[in-house]
Amino acid sequence: MPTAADIVYTLRNNFNSGNTRPYEFRLKQLQGLHKLLADNEKALTNAIIQDLRKPQFEALLYEVNYSKTEVLNTIYNLKEWMKPTKPSKPLPFIMDEVLIQPEPYGVSLIIGAWNYPVMLVLIPLAGAIAAGNAAVIKPSEVAPHTADLLKELIPQYLDSEYYKVYCGGIPETTELLKQRFDYIFYTGNCQVGKVVHAAAAKHLTPVTLEMGGKCPVFIDQSADVEIVARRVLFGRFLNAGQSCIAPDYILCDKLTEQKFVTAAKTILKEWYGENAKESPSYGRIINERHFNRIVKLLDGANIAIGGSHDIKDLFIEPSIVTDVKPTDPLMQEEIFGPILPIVITDNASSAIDFINKREKPLALYVFSTNKTTHNLFLNYTSSGNMLINDTLMHFSCETIPFGGVGNSGIGGYHGKFTFDTFSHPKGTVSMRMRFEVEHFSIPDGTPRSILYKTDYFPRKINLYQSNVINCT
């Protein structure tokens, strides 16, 4: 097996040939990626089920089909995205050509996550291809069946001179991170994200870090609790709570808490029956290490719904916890499992204070019919994304960037934003040579140079100042 250094060296040489840059090459590779997903829909779904025991509809709809949709959108828009954009031109450049040309970074590294082991690898890969990069793809070793299948399939559908799959655990990832990449795209937890960021910093390599955090939900009394409960519970218990944008805790008043718990009991029974363990619609925890970590969070908790678990089956019942204090273990880390704590707050202002005292979340959810409340959270909190009156759905909105801020991540992607993530926006000015104008290249002290520097720029500054004064 080639070493990480050998793979990166080969890909860099191949990238430097320029073959990944033409539209025709990028289009062919994207079509290959879509064909990979279409031809192997069943195999990919089965691999995901083997690794995570997701319900079949979850694996198919939220991973394979969603990835196909993203790739098709990229194919459809590729030619347009590749075109240089023409910004407005300042007066000295009015006769010149001013462009912003998207160019590929070079050799990119894509490190996937285990909770959505197909989607979180192939969607960034589609962006890297569309932008004209070569790529090393590192699937998560925690989902081994999916990783092995991707290693088998990708060389069959993509040009292996430019796209390589590199499998392995911590030692292999460590070796990869010693190499000099031109871009690194990482999805996973914050602790490993810091390691990736530190490794990238040694070479000043730009990064996208898609991480997570504790995503809060605020509910006020204006919201329909029945609708709210369905949307919050769906977001929390999809994939057994193992989603980076899953609602992590609820902030509401006591009356709303009581109504929510009552509604939740009915809805969970409707979805999963009397015994969620026997339901084909409910998933499992990825492994024993994560199982033990999640179950430990329930120690001493006031469990209003659920709470049962079985380590042999990696099953944790959908659970709701009340009487939660900010100092409780449930509130100290991202839960990443099927437990939903409720913290009592008096109003929107106290909820905002609570959120702002903690790390910035990947997503923030607000349930209210009050526009003023919406604007309070929009203007006085910081989060990667914000969704009003639903959960998770912003992830599928390809016209907005999906990503974190602060502790929840760096950068964003989806749709054209994925293309932009893997592209350097190269500003370009093409000057005319038909005649000479007053120019900074004229040596200082000449009359024309003095005129240029003392006439044009002061006039421009005065114009800006006048406009600013008139706007106030």
Side-chain angles (χ1 to χ4, degrees):
M1 178 179 173
T3 66
D6 291 338
I7 290 173
V8 175
Y9 177 82
T10 301
L11 288 182
R12 193 174 304 284
N13 283 341
N14 294 342
F15 171 78
N16 288 337
S17 70
N19 291 336
T20 63
R21 292 175 179 262
Y23 167 77
E24 292 75 17
F25 177 88
R26 304 185 199 191
L27 178 63
K28 182 178 179 181
Q29 301 308 306
L30 289 168
Q31 289 170 335
L33 188 58
H34 182 263
K35 185 171 173 55
L36 182 158
L37 288 159
D39 290 353
N40 301 281
E41 183 179 279
K42 185 175 181 180
L44 289 165
T45 300
N46 288 340
I48 295 165
I49 293 171
Q50 281 183 282
D51 286 327
L52 286 124
R53 292 180 62 186
K54 290 187 183 186
Q56 185 175 15
F57 81 92
E58 278 190 27
L60 181 60
L61 180 62
Y62 300 118
E63 290 234 50
V64 180
N65 285 352
Y66 182 78
S67 298
K68 280 197 288 188
T69 300
E70 275 279 333
V71 174
L72 280 175
N73 179 59
T74 304
I75 290 170
Y76 180 79
N77 290 289
L78 179 62
K79 187 171 286 187
E80 189 66 27
W81 292 350
M82 288 178 63
K83 292 178 181 178
T85 57
K86 297 181 178 181
S88 60
K89 295 186 283 188
L91 184 60
F93 301 94
I94 201 68
M95 301 295 292
D96 306 313
E97 186 177 41
V98 179
L99 301 172
I100 301 173
Q101 175 70 49
E103 70 170 17
Y105 278 104
V107 180
S108 56
L109 170 62
I110 297 167
I111 303 176
W114 57 261
N115 57 327
Y116 292 88
V118 170
M119 177 181 67
L120 296 179
V121 167
L122 297 190
I123 291 179
L125 177 59
I129 293 170
N133 297 275
V136 176
I137 302 108
K138 171 62 180 66
S140 174
E141 73 282 4
V142 182
H145 296 93
T146 308
D148 289 344
L149 183 59
L150 290 173
K151 185 177 182 181
E152 174 190 336
L153 293 178
I154 285 176
Q156 297 177 28
Y157 291 86
L158 301 183
D159 193 327
S160 58
E161 294 294 308
Y162 306 97
Y163 310 103
K164 299 282 188 183
V165 181
Y166 190 83
C167 289
I170 294 174
E172 289 77 13
T173 305
T174 302
E175 195 60 34
L176 269 179
L177 291 173
K178 291 179 182 177
Q179 312 310 311
R180 180 170 192 154
F181 287 94
D182 300 298
Y183 202 93
I184 298 177
F185 191 108
Y186 164 80
T187 305
N189 65 55
C190 184
Q191 289 73 28
V192 178
K194 291 177 181 178
V195 173
V196 172
H197 195 248
K202 292 179 181 177
H203 302 293
L204 297 180
T205 300
V207 298
T208 293
L209 304 177
E210 293 296 340
M211 298 183 288
K214 296 184 73 64
C215 300
V217 179
F218 173 74
I219 309 169
D220 74 10
Q221 291 190 15
S222 72
D224 185 321
V225 174
E226 174 74 20
I227 294 173
V228 171
R230 287 185 178 277
R231 295 180 180 184
V232 172
L233 296 177
F234 167 76
R236 174 70 276 183
F237 299 123
L238 179 73
N239 196 23
Q242 298 165 116
S243 302
C244 59
I245 53 173
D248 196 90
Y249 62 95
I250 292 174
L251 297 168
C252 65
D253 62 30
K254 193 65 180 178
L255 179 60
T256 302
E257 177 193 63
Q258 293 169 355
K259 291 180 179 179
F260 183 92
V261 171
T262 300
K265 288 177 181 177
T266 303
I267 293 165
L268 292 174
K269 184 178 178 180
E270 174 191 327
W271 288 353
Y272 305 122
E274 293 288 351
N275 187 355
K277 189 176 180 182
E278 297 176 357
S279 172
S281 301
Y282 186 66
R284 295 298 186 268
I285 305 305
I286 183 69
N287 57 33
E288 287 190 8
R289 181 172 69 86
H290 284 279
F291 177 94
N292 289 329
R293 179 190 61 79
I294 296 166
V295 168
K296 188 174 177 60
L297 296 175
L298 287 172
D299 289 350
N302 183 49
I303 301 171
I305 298 177
S308 67
H309 48 83
D310 180 2
I311 192 170
K312 292 181 181 178
D313 195 36
L314 296 176
F315 166 80
I316 300 176
E317 185 181 5
S319 303
I320 295 177
V321 179
T322 56
D323 300 328
V324 178
K325 299 179 180 62
T327 54
D328 287 351
L330 279 166
M331 298 304 296
Q332 306 313 308
E333 61 180 77
E334 182 180 9
I335 296 170
F336 220 69
I339 303 171
L340 183 60
I342 302 179
V343 179
I344 299 301
T345 53
D346 295 329
N347 50 44
S349 295
S350 61
I352 289 170
D353 289 341
F354 188 95
I355 292 166
N356 288 340
K357 289 176 181 177
R358 286 154 180 81
E359 296 286 0
K360 296 178 180 181
L362 184 56
L364 190 157
Y365 303 112
V366 176
F367 286 87
S368 173
T369 60
N370 190 318
K371 188 71 174 177
T372 300
T373 300
H374 302 168
N375 289 333
L376 278 174
F377 281 89
L378 184 63
N379 294 321
Y380 295 102
T381 64
S382 178
S383 57
N385 294 103
M386 179 173 158
L387 180 57
I388 297 171
N389 294 330
D390 210 337
T391 65
L392 308 190
M393 297 306 295
H394 64 288
F395 186 88
S396 60
C397 184
E398 65 199 25
T399 55
I400 62 172
F402 170 81
V405 59
N407 216 53
S408 59
I410 298 172
Y413 73 123
H414 287 184
K416 185 176 184 293
F417 297 100
T418 316
F419 175 87
D420 293 339
T421 285
F422 285 96
S423 300
H424 165 61
K426 182 167 65 177
T428 305
V429 178
S430 178
M431 309 286 286
R432 294 172 179 264
M433 294 190 67
R434 293 182 182 176
F435 55 87
E436 182 64 358
V437 296
E438 297 172 358
H439 200 277
F440 273 122
S441 61
I442 301 171
D444 270 351
T446 65
R448 285 204 300 169
S449 179
I450 292 172
L451 175 65
Y452 188 81
K453 293 177 182 178
T454 59
D455 182 26
Y456 171 72
F457 287 107
R459 281 191 288 111
K460 190 170 185 181
I461 290 170
N462 289 335
L463 178 63
Y464 287 158
Q465 288 175 336
S466 174
N467 287 337
V468 168
I469 291 169
N470 290 334
C471 287
T472 57

